[in-house]
Amino acid sequence: MSATLLPPLPRPEPAAAPAARLALKTDGSSRGLLDGAWWPRSRDLAHELRALTDALDPLWGRITRVAVNPEHWPVIPRKVPVDGRTVKVGWFTPEIDPHKLLLLSYGTGRWDLLVIPPETGAESAARLMTAASGRDGLPLTASALIAEDEARHGVSAADRSPAADEAWETEGGASATDVLKSPAGTVSAGLPRQTGPPDPAGRPSGL
């Protein structure tokens, strides 16, 4: 009786996580209250932070701490493993706007991002990214920017299609990888680099 030996099946390669969707202010832009905008794909903070820090580490230096308002995040982990290290996560209320994310970079500085709700439609997300990353440095809080967009266009983020993120990418929206290779200063095709710590005057220290 003979046995047939079959070669071992190849191990499936793990699927790469989608790149973070970001729009950041260019060097020399008026800072205002925000440094840019982030459009996560879900409310899973631990999962979303990995893609975000992967995109920001080469631009801003190693992200070591993150702080959020817990209103829109169902679960807030105390620590998130990222690339063999740990990013500490904290939450503060009412010090942090519910639609904002605060990031601290090791030895570099602090940044504040508008968090666009995951269910937001692609058109609304593009407008919010433009407003948060524009050169004008509008003196509006994260929540005020979202409220202003809803008031002008009459549709709240909660009314948008859950598949909006797919439409964004299939119709030409930029991922973080696309942005790094494109000209600075544009929202859907540019992720400009910011250097040096911003001026934290008049804003909560967060962590």
Side-chain angles (χ1 to χ4, degrees):
M1 183 175 181
S2 61
T4 301
L5 299 179
L6 299 176
L9 295 174
R11 293 184 178 180
E13 292 292 330
R21 299 177 295 190
L22 287 163
L24 305 178
K25 287 187 176 177
T26 58
D27 294 343
S29 295
S30 176
R31 185 162 186 255
L33 299 178
L34 297 166
D35 299 294
W38 174 45
W39 185 21
R41 291 174 167 80
S42 73
R43 300 285 185 183
D44 183 343
L45 185 59
H47 177 75
E48 296 294 337
L49 282 179
R50 293 186 183 97
L52 179 63
T53 54
D54 281 347
L56 291 181
D57 280 1
L59 301 173
W60 290 350
R62 188 175 64 187
I63 302 298
T64 55
R65 292 175 180 265
V66 173
V68 298
N69 184 304
E71 181 174 333
H72 298 300
W73 300 104
V75 177
I76 300 177
R78 293 178 64 87
K79 298 178 180 179
V80 175
V82 176
D83 260 346
R85 60 186 175 85
T86 298
V87 175
K88 296 182 179 179
V89 183
W91 60 268
F92 298 87
T93 179
E95 292 88 351
I96 296 180
D97 188 302
H99 291 288
K100 187 174 79 172
L101 182 80
L102 184 157
L103 303 107
L104 294 177
S105 177
Y106 180 77
T108 305
R110 162 191 166 162
W111 291 268
D112 299 87
L113 296 180
L114 166 69
V115 179
I116 300 172
E119 62 273 16
T120 302
E123 291 184 4
S124 292
R127 288 194 300 266
L128 289 167
M129 285 182 168
T130 299
S133 62
R135 299 185 62 86
D136 294 338
L138 297 174
L140 295 177
T141 65
S143 288
L145 275 178
I146 289 178
E148 182 182 60
D149 185 75
E150 291 176 356
R152 285 186 177 185
H153 299 279
V155 180
S156 70
D159 296 328
R160 301 295 185 176
S161 165
D165 56 345
E166 296 178 11
W168 166 264
E169 279 144 18
T170 58
E171 294 173 9
S175 68
T177 304
D178 299 329
V179 181
L180 287 169
K181 298 177 180 177
S182 304
T186 57
V187 173
S188 63
L191 180 57
R193 180 171 184 170
Q194 175 167 340
T195 57
D199 178 9
R203 302 161 76 187
S205 60
L207 294 176

XYZ file of all heavy atoms in Angstrom, residues 108-206:
691
model
N 8.317 65.943 19.551
C 8.026 66.840 18.433
C 6.941 67.846 18.756
O 7.145 69.052 18.654
C 7.623 66.028 17.189
O 8.659 65.084 16.895
C 7.435 66.938 15.990
N 5.758 67.396 19.130
C 4.709 68.355 19.414
C 3.346 67.715 19.503
O 3.208 66.506 19.673
N 2.335 68.554 19.388
C 0.940 68.145 19.517
C 0.156 68.590 18.294
O 0.405 69.643 17.729
C 0.345 68.780 20.779
C -1.184 68.772 20.777
C -1.740 69.617 21.884
N -3.157 69.854 21.640
C -4.008 70.257 22.561
N -3.591 70.503 23.776
N -5.281 70.452 22.271
N -0.813 67.752 17.898
C -1.677 68.072 16.777
C -3.118 67.725 17.121
O -3.378 66.816 17.910
C -1.258 67.304 15.523
C 0.054 67.777 14.972
C 0.256 68.736 14.021
C 1.357 67.337 15.355
N 1.598 68.914 13.781
C 2.299 68.064 14.592
C 1.834 66.395 16.280
C 3.670 67.878 14.706
C 3.198 66.209 16.407
C 4.095 66.957 15.624
N -4.041 68.452 16.499
C -5.466 68.231 16.712
C -6.141 67.990 15.359
O -6.014 68.811 14.457
C -6.108 69.439 17.395
C -5.508 69.708 18.767
O -4.485 70.423 18.820
O -6.037 69.214 19.759
N -6.840 66.873 15.240
C -7.501 66.526 13.994
C -9.013 66.506 14.164
O -9.527 65.980 15.165
C -7.048 65.142 13.507
C -5.581 64.974 13.129
C -5.322 63.545 12.664
C -5.160 65.978 12.056
N -9.713 67.046 13.188
C -11.147 66.847 13.088
C -11.390 65.371 12.778
O -10.764 64.818 11.876
C -11.714 67.706 11.949
C -13.134 67.378 11.480
C -14.159 67.746 12.537
C -13.429 68.078 10.158
N -12.295 64.726 13.529
C -12.674 63.346 13.239
C -14.016 63.375 12.511
O -15.044 63.712 13.094
C -12.779 62.497 14.521
C -13.192 61.065 14.172
C -11.451 62.486 15.273
N -13.982 63.049 11.231
C -15.203 63.017 10.435
C -15.906 61.692 10.699
O -15.289 60.631 10.614
C -14.868 63.154 8.939
C -14.145 64.481 8.691
C -16.130 63.059 8.091
C -13.598 64.634 7.293
N -17.193 61.699 11.077
C -17.888 60.445 11.383
C -17.753 59.440 10.248
O -17.835 59.802 9.071
C -19.342 60.886 11.566
C -19.250 62.320 12.010
C -18.073 62.883 11.269
N -17.520 58.162 10.563
C -17.300 57.142 9.528
C -18.425 57.049 8.507
O -18.192 56.755 7.337
C -17.177 55.843 10.336
C -16.777 56.264 11.698
C -17.404 57.603 11.921
N -19.664 57.303 8.956
C -20.813 57.154 8.061
C -21.040 58.359 7.154
O -21.975 58.384 6.357
C -22.078 56.896 8.877
C -22.454 58.020 9.833
C -21.783 57.923 11.198
O -20.795 57.158 11.325
O -22.255 58.602 12.138
N -20.179 59.351 7.256
C -20.318 60.554 6.433
C -20.135 60.229 4.951
O -19.280 59.429 4.577
C -19.273 61.608 6.854
O -19.442 61.906 8.231
C -19.426 62.893 6.053
N -20.940 60.881 4.092
C -20.807 60.702 2.655
C -19.535 61.330 2.123
O -18.939 62.219 2.735
N -19.104 60.853 0.954
C -17.839 61.298 0.380
C -17.813 62.796 0.109
O -16.810 63.464 0.335
C -17.557 60.520 -0.905
N -18.930 63.368 -0.370
C -18.956 64.803 -0.668
C -18.813 65.633 0.605
O -18.057 66.608 0.643
C -20.249 65.167 -1.396
C -20.328 64.613 -2.817
C -21.589 65.077 -3.533
O -22.340 65.887 -2.938
O -21.819 64.627 -4.657
N -19.540 65.237 1.642
C -19.435 65.960 2.916
C -18.037 65.824 3.497
O -17.463 66.784 4.020
C -20.468 65.434 3.908
O -21.775 65.751 3.500
N -17.481 64.615 3.419
C -16.138 64.388 3.956
C -15.115 65.253 3.237
O -14.224 65.838 3.867
C -15.769 62.910 3.838
N -15.242 65.365 1.922
C -14.308 66.200 1.160
C -14.418 67.666 1.572
O -13.410 68.365 1.707
C -14.571 66.039 -0.333
N -15.651 68.147 1.772
C -15.826 69.543 2.208
C -15.202 69.771 3.578
O -14.539 70.785 3.814
C -17.310 69.894 2.247
C -17.964 70.041 0.883
C -19.331 70.714 1.007
N -20.244 69.946 1.859
C -21.107 69.048 1.401
N -21.169 68.780 0.099
N -21.927 68.406 2.225
N -15.427 68.829 4.491
C -14.885 68.973 5.841
C -13.359 68.903 5.838
O -12.691 69.622 6.591
C -15.470 67.886 6.748
C -16.954 68.061 7.085
C -17.518 66.788 7.697
C -17.155 69.245 8.039
N -12.806 68.043 4.996
C -11.349 67.974 4.898
C -10.774 69.284 4.374
O -9.752 69.775 4.866
C -10.941 66.811 3.997
C -11.100 65.453 4.649
S -10.532 64.123 3.555
C -10.511 62.753 4.726
N -11.452 69.861 3.400
C -11.007 71.144 2.861
C -11.053 72.231 3.936
O -10.110 73.015 4.084
C -11.896 71.562 1.677
O -11.800 70.580 0.645
C -11.474 72.910 1.122
N -12.128 72.268 4.689
C -12.277 73.291 5.728
C -11.243 73.132 6.827
O -10.684 74.120 7.312
C -13.690 73.223 6.312
N -10.970 71.881 7.234
C -10.052 71.649 8.355
C -8.590 71.805 7.974
O -7.752 72.111 8.825
C -10.287 70.250 8.926
N -8.267 71.596 6.698
C -6.867 71.634 6.285
C -6.527 72.851 5.433
O -5.396 72.982 4.966
C -6.524 70.368 5.488
O -7.298 70.296 4.302
N -7.496 73.739 5.225
C -7.261 74.904 4.373
C -6.283 75.889 4.976
O -5.981 75.873 6.174
N -5.777 76.764 4.152
C -4.760 77.723 4.578
C -5.328 78.851 5.429
O -4.590 79.581 6.076
C -4.068 78.318 3.350
C -3.354 77.297 2.491
C -2.588 77.960 1.360
N -1.547 78.837 1.868
C -0.318 78.423 2.183
N -0.013 77.147 2.059
N 0.583 79.274 2.627
N -6.645 79.000 5.434
C -7.249 80.123 6.158
C -7.193 79.966 7.663
O -7.260 80.952 8.395
C -8.707 80.299 5.739
C -8.828 80.712 4.283
O -7.841 81.247 3.746
O -9.883 80.480 3.695
N -7.084 78.706 8.156
C -7.055 78.508 9.598
C -8.323 78.990 10.265
O -8.286 79.783 11.204
N -9.477 78.538 9.766
C -10.752 79.000 10.310
C -10.822 78.764 11.822
O -10.532 77.673 12.296
C -11.901 78.258 9.622
C -12.031 78.504 8.110
C -13.113 77.605 7.534
C -12.330 79.963 7.830
N -11.220 79.766 12.586
C -11.262 79.635 14.053
C -12.516 78.908 14.525
O -13.275 79.423 15.339
C -11.228 81.084 14.520
C -11.928 81.833 13.435
C -11.573 81.125 12.150
N -12.775 77.721 13.983
C -13.940 76.937 14.359
C -13.507 75.642 15.027
O -12.514 75.041 14.636
C -14.791 76.609 13.119
C -15.446 77.780 12.386
C -16.180 77.273 11.151
C -16.404 78.533 13.294
N -14.280 75.211 16.007
C -14.008 73.940 16.637
C -14.404 72.812 15.686
O -15.091 73.027 14.671
C -14.797 73.788 17.944
O -16.199 73.758 17.628
C -14.498 74.935 18.904
N -14.016 71.590 16.026
C -14.356 70.438 15.203
C -15.873 70.282 15.085
O -16.418 70.105 13.992
C -13.722 69.178 15.791
N -16.570 70.349 16.204
C -18.027 70.204 16.181
C -18.691 71.338 15.411
O -19.697 71.133 14.715
C -18.585 70.135 17.599
O -18.259 68.904 18.212
N -18.141 72.545 15.502
C -18.714 73.684 14.780
C -18.570 73.505 13.272
O -19.471 73.858 12.509
C -18.047 74.978 15.225
N -17.442 72.930 12.818
C -17.262 72.685 11.390
C -18.303 71.698 10.868
O -18.896 71.895 9.802
C -15.860 72.130 11.127
C -14.719 73.133 10.973
C -13.407 72.401 10.780
C -14.985 74.067 9.803
N -18.534 70.628 11.626
C -19.512 69.632 11.209
C -20.918 70.224 11.219
O -21.704 70.023 10.284
C -19.423 68.385 12.115
C -18.120 67.634 11.814
C -20.634 67.467 11.918
C -17.890 66.419 12.668
N -21.243 70.980 12.262
C -22.569 71.600 12.353
C -22.783 72.586 11.210
O -23.877 72.673 10.633
C -22.736 72.292 13.696
N -21.739 73.352 10.853
C -21.855 74.319 9.771
C -22.098 73.611 8.436
O -22.927 74.046 7.628
C -20.591 75.161 9.688
C -20.648 76.227 8.603
C -19.365 77.028 8.512
O -18.312 76.396 8.261
O -19.413 78.255 8.678
N -21.398 72.507 8.203
C -21.597 71.774 6.950
C -23.007 71.202 6.872
O -23.650 71.249 5.818
C -20.563 70.645 6.846
C -20.637 69.934 5.505
O -20.166 70.503 4.500
O -21.189 68.812 5.451
N -23.496 70.668 7.990
C -24.860 70.119 8.002
C -25.897 71.219 7.777
O -26.896 71.017 7.070
C -25.112 69.401 9.324
C -24.295 68.121 9.480
C -24.477 67.474 10.835
O -25.185 68.056 11.686
O -23.925 66.388 11.057
N -25.664 72.397 8.366
C -26.613 73.500 8.206
C -26.653 74.001 6.764
O -27.713 74.323 6.229
C -26.247 74.644 9.151
N -25.491 74.044 6.111
C -25.423 74.558 4.750
C -26.003 73.591 3.727
O -26.612 73.990 2.749
C -23.972 74.859 4.376
C -23.414 76.120 5.001
C -22.041 76.415 4.456
N -21.501 77.661 4.985
C -20.345 78.191 4.598
N -19.613 77.580 3.685
N -19.925 79.325 5.123
N -25.804 72.305 3.972
C -26.160 71.318 2.953
C -27.360 70.466 3.343
O -27.810 69.640 2.553
C -24.952 70.442 2.631
C -23.793 71.238 2.097
N -23.711 71.632 0.777
C -22.699 71.750 2.724
C -22.600 72.340 0.614
N -21.979 72.426 1.765
N -27.842 70.615 4.563
C -29.120 70.040 4.937
C -29.168 68.555 5.186
O -30.246 68.004 5.366
N -28.021 67.868 5.182
C -28.010 66.423 5.441
C -26.969 66.143 6.499
O -25.813 66.508 6.348
C -27.684 65.621 4.162
C -27.686 64.130 4.444
C -28.687 65.956 3.071
N -27.381 65.500 7.574
C -26.441 65.195 8.642
C -25.624 63.973 8.286
O -25.998 63.165 7.445
C -27.189 64.934 9.954
O -27.888 63.715 9.884
N -24.482 63.829 8.951
C -23.609 62.686 8.707
C -24.337 61.381 8.962
O -24.107 60.379 8.296
C -22.364 62.791 9.590
N -25.250 61.361 9.931
C -25.953 60.126 10.287
C -26.883 59.651 9.184
O -27.286 58.494 9.152
C -26.752 60.338 11.572
N -27.246 60.542 8.244
C -28.148 60.170 7.158
C -27.417 59.627 5.941
O -28.033 59.261 4.956
C -28.975 61.389 6.716
C -29.887 61.864 7.827
O -30.335 61.025 8.617
O -30.144 63.078 7.900
N -26.084 59.560 6.010
C -25.316 59.140 4.852
C -25.301 57.627 4.714
O -25.529 56.892 5.654
C -23.880 59.644 4.967
C -23.764 61.158 5.075
C -24.240 61.833 3.808
N -24.012 63.280 3.863
C -24.266 64.100 2.881
N -24.782 63.664 1.772
N -24.050 65.393 3.010
N -24.931 57.169 3.504
C -24.860 55.732 3.240
C -23.653 55.115 3.916
O -22.564 55.688 3.896
C -24.747 55.503 1.732
O -24.340 54.187 1.467
N -23.785 53.907 4.523
C -22.638 53.242 5.142
C -21.563 52.877 4.140
O -20.431 52.634 4.506
C -23.258 51.973 5.760
C -24.719 52.240 5.830
C -25.037 53.177 4.716
N -21.904 52.802 2.849
C -20.927 52.428 1.833
C -20.198 53.633 1.268
O -19.522 53.544 0.253
C -21.620 51.683 0.701
N -20.315 54.771 1.933
C -19.714 55.995 1.394
C -18.210 55.880 1.237
O -17.623 56.442 0.318
C -20.050 57.179 2.295
N -17.550 55.156 2.151
C -16.100 55.048 2.059
C -15.680 54.323 0.797
O -14.666 54.646 0.185
C -15.518 54.350 3.290
C -16.125 52.992 3.534
O -17.184 52.696 2.952
O -15.532 52.220 4.307
N -16.486 53.336 0.348
C -16.156 52.634 -0.884
C -16.278 53.579 -2.077
O -15.458 53.577 -2.981
C -17.076 51.427 -1.061
C -16.896 50.372 0.021
C -17.861 49.216 -0.156
O -18.493 49.154 -1.229
O -17.967 48.391 0.756
N -17.319 54.394 -2.074
C -17.505 55.349 -3.161
C -16.348 56.335 -3.211
O -15.865 56.705 -4.282
C -18.825 56.092 -2.991
N -15.885 56.777 -2.050
C -14.775 57.730 -1.978
C -13.558 57.199 -2.722
O -12.944 57.881 -3.526
C -14.436 57.980 -0.515
C -13.140 58.669 -0.264
C -11.944 58.102 0.030
C -12.893 60.084 -0.251
N -10.982 59.055 0.216
C -11.538 60.276 0.057
C -13.710 61.191 -0.467
C -10.976 61.526 0.154
C -13.135 62.455 -0.371
C -11.783 62.612 -0.062
N -13.187 55.934 -2.467
C -11.985 55.404 -3.074
C -12.183 54.995 -4.527
O -11.316 55.174 -5.355
C -11.459 54.232 -2.240
C -10.674 54.782 -1.055
C -10.852 53.954 0.183
O -11.282 52.803 0.055
O -10.558 54.456 1.274
N -13.364 54.445 -4.879
C -13.579 54.018 -6.259
C -13.790 55.206 -7.190
O -13.588 55.095 -8.389
C -14.801 53.080 -6.365
O -15.954 53.760 -5.858
C -14.574 51.807 -5.579
N -14.173 56.359 -6.625
C -14.412 57.530 -7.459
C -13.270 58.536 -7.405
O -13.412 59.676 -7.789
C -15.723 58.201 -7.034
C -16.937 57.329 -7.296
C -18.204 57.925 -6.731
O -18.136 59.093 -6.286
O -19.236 57.246 -6.713
N -12.126 58.111 -6.876
C -10.956 58.979 -6.966
C -10.511 59.593 -5.667
O -9.582 60.393 -5.654
N -11.115 59.261 -4.535
C -10.650 59.788 -3.259
C -9.275 59.249 -2.931
O -8.897 58.161 -3.358
N -8.508 60.012 -2.175
C -7.119 59.644 -1.936
C -6.945 58.879 -0.648
O -7.532 59.211 0.365
C -6.249 60.905 -1.897
N -6.125 57.856 -0.683
C -5.689 57.186 0.539
C -4.436 57.886 1.024
O -3.869 58.732 0.339
C -5.384 55.712 0.253
O -4.244 55.616 -0.572
N -3.952 57.492 2.213
C -2.744 58.128 2.731
C -1.569 57.882 1.807
O -0.717 58.741 1.607
C -2.444 57.572 4.125
N -1.481 56.689 1.201
C -0.384 56.398 0.296
C -0.426 57.307 -0.920
O 0.581 57.857 -1.351
C -0.457 54.934 -0.164
O -0.463 54.099 0.987
C 0.731 54.581 -1.039
N -1.609 57.508 -1.490
C -1.752 58.400 -2.637
C -1.325 59.811 -2.278
O -0.658 60.481 -3.052
C -3.219 58.447 -3.107
C -3.716 57.091 -3.556
O -2.897 56.306 -4.052
O -4.915 56.818 -3.384
N -1.712 60.234 -1.089
C -1.465 61.607 -0.690
C 0.009 61.906 -0.585
O 0.476 62.962 -0.960
C -2.133 61.856 0.657
C -1.925 63.257 1.110
C -3.602 61.587 0.606
N 0.780 60.977 -0.055
C 2.198 61.197 0.146
C 2.934 61.416 -1.165
O 3.960 62.061 -1.195
C 2.815 59.984 0.861
C 2.459 59.849 2.334
C 2.898 58.502 2.848
C 3.110 60.944 3.148
N 2.391 60.887 -2.258
C 3.070 60.978 -3.542
C 2.563 62.132 -4.390
O 2.986 62.290 -5.512
C 2.873 59.664 -4.322
C 3.476 58.460 -3.621
C 3.193 57.203 -4.409
C 3.779 55.982 -3.721
N 3.448 54.734 -4.441
N 1.622 62.907 -3.850
C 0.975 63.925 -4.663
C 1.347 65.316 -4.210
O 1.911 65.504 -3.141
C -0.542 63.743 -4.583
O -0.894 62.438 -4.967
N 1.025 66.328 -5.005
C 1.384 67.704 -4.640
C 0.716 68.145 -3.355
O -0.400 67.749 -3.067
C 0.859 68.525 -5.838
C 0.684 67.541 -6.945
C 0.365 66.230 -6.288
N 1.436 68.953 -2.594
C 0.889 69.446 -1.327
C -0.199 70.466 -1.582
O -0.251 71.110 -2.605
C 2.007 70.080 -0.498
N -1.080 70.597 -0.574
C -2.045 71.667 -0.615
C -3.397 71.286 -1.151
O -4.301 72.104 -1.149
N -3.572 70.052 -1.652
C -4.885 69.650 -2.113
C -5.430 68.569 -1.220
O -4.694 67.757 -0.692
C -4.823 69.123 -3.560
O -3.913 68.044 -3.613
C -4.379 70.201 -4.528
N -6.746 68.549 -1.036
C -7.345 67.635 -0.081
C -7.432 66.218 -0.612
O -7.042 65.278 0.047
C -8.749 68.136 0.306
C -9.456 67.103 1.171
C -8.636 69.442 1.064
N -7.942 66.044 -1.835
C -8.133 64.696 -2.337
C -6.878 64.124 -2.968
O -6.842 62.966 -3.333
C -9.264 64.670 -3.366
O -8.919 65.471 -4.474
N -5.837 64.931 -3.099
C -4.632 64.397 -3.725
C -3.365 64.865 -3.058
O -2.307 64.797 -3.645
C -4.602 64.792 -5.192
N -3.427 65.339 -1.824
C -2.210 65.793 -1.187
C -2.246 65.669 0.310
O -3.185 66.092 0.933
N -1.197 65.053 0.897
C -1.053 64.987 2.346
C 0.213 65.725 2.702
O 1.285 65.159 2.767
C -0.950 63.525 2.800
C -0.788 63.284 4.297
C -1.931 63.932 5.046
C -0.740 61.811 4.597
N 0.140 67.079 2.839
C 1.330 67.875 3.078
C 1.950 67.595 4.428
O 1.288 67.165 5.352
C 0.815 69.320 3.007
C -0.637 69.217 3.266
C -1.069 67.873 2.787
N 3.228 67.856 4.506
C 3.966 67.571 5.726
C 3.999 68.785 6.625
O 4.203 69.902 6.162
C 5.390 67.151 5.367
C 6.237 66.844 6.587
C 7.559 66.237 6.175
N 8.324 65.855 7.337
C 9.425 65.130 7.285
N 9.856 64.702 6.140
N 10.083 64.824 8.382
N 3.855 68.545 7.926
C 3.955 69.618 8.908
C 5.177 69.346 9.758
O 5.390 68.235 10.217
C 2.720 69.658 9.790
C 2.847 70.678 10.908
C 1.523 70.939 11.563
O 0.481 70.682 11.005
N 1.549 71.434 12.764
N 5.998 70.353 9.974
C 7.185 70.170 10.784
C 7.151 71.110 11.964
O 6.623 72.208 11.888
C 8.456 70.462 9.962
O 8.372 71.782 9.445
C 8.598 69.471 8.828
N 7.756 70.660 13.065
C 7.836 71.500 14.242
C 6.585 71.486 15.070
O 5.503 71.268 14.556
N 6.716 71.693 16.374
C 5.553 71.666 17.259
C 4.665 72.878 17.081
O 5.158 73.988 16.897
C 6.174 71.645 18.660
C 7.505 72.287 18.480
C 7.966 71.935 17.093
N 3.355 72.685 17.066
C 2.449 73.827 16.997
C 2.394 74.566 18.321
O 2.814 74.061 19.348
C 1.102 73.169 16.686
C 1.221 71.809 17.269
C 2.673 71.418 17.111
N 1.861 75.757 18.279
C 1.727 76.557 19.477
C 0.490 76.086 20.258
O -0.625 76.200 19.778
C 1.561 78.031 19.090
C 1.374 78.918 20.298
O 1.537 78.438 21.440
O 1.065 80.102 20.110
N 0.677 75.529 21.457
C -0.464 75.002 22.204
C -1.176 76.038 23.049
O -2.025 75.715 23.861
C 0.199 73.945 23.087
C 1.555 74.505 23.373
C 1.956 75.271 22.118
N -0.833 77.305 22.911
C -1.381 78.340 23.797
C -2.895 78.375 23.756
O -3.500 78.355 22.699
C -0.822 79.709 23.392
N -3.494 78.411 24.925
C -4.921 78.580 25.025
C -5.723 77.330 24.790
O -6.934 77.382 24.637
N -5.057 76.142 24.737
C -5.782 74.917 24.461
C -5.399 73.877 25.507
O -4.305 73.900 26.042
C -5.413 74.436 23.051
C -5.735 75.509 22.015
C -5.000 75.295 20.753
N -5.608 74.206 20.010
C -5.065 73.707 18.912
N -3.953 74.164 18.468
N -5.678 72.736 18.270
N -6.301 72.957 25.844
C -6.024 72.021 26.923
C -4.849 71.130 26.621
O -4.605 70.755 25.477
C -7.319 71.189 27.008
C -7.964 71.373 25.682
C -7.582 72.734 25.230
N -4.076 70.764 27.661
C -2.896 69.924 27.468
C -3.271 68.505 27.140
O -2.479 67.759 26.584
C -2.037 69.946 28.732
O -2.778 69.464 29.827
N -4.453 68.050 27.492
C -4.940 66.735 27.103
C -4.310 65.613 27.879
O -4.946 64.945 28.653
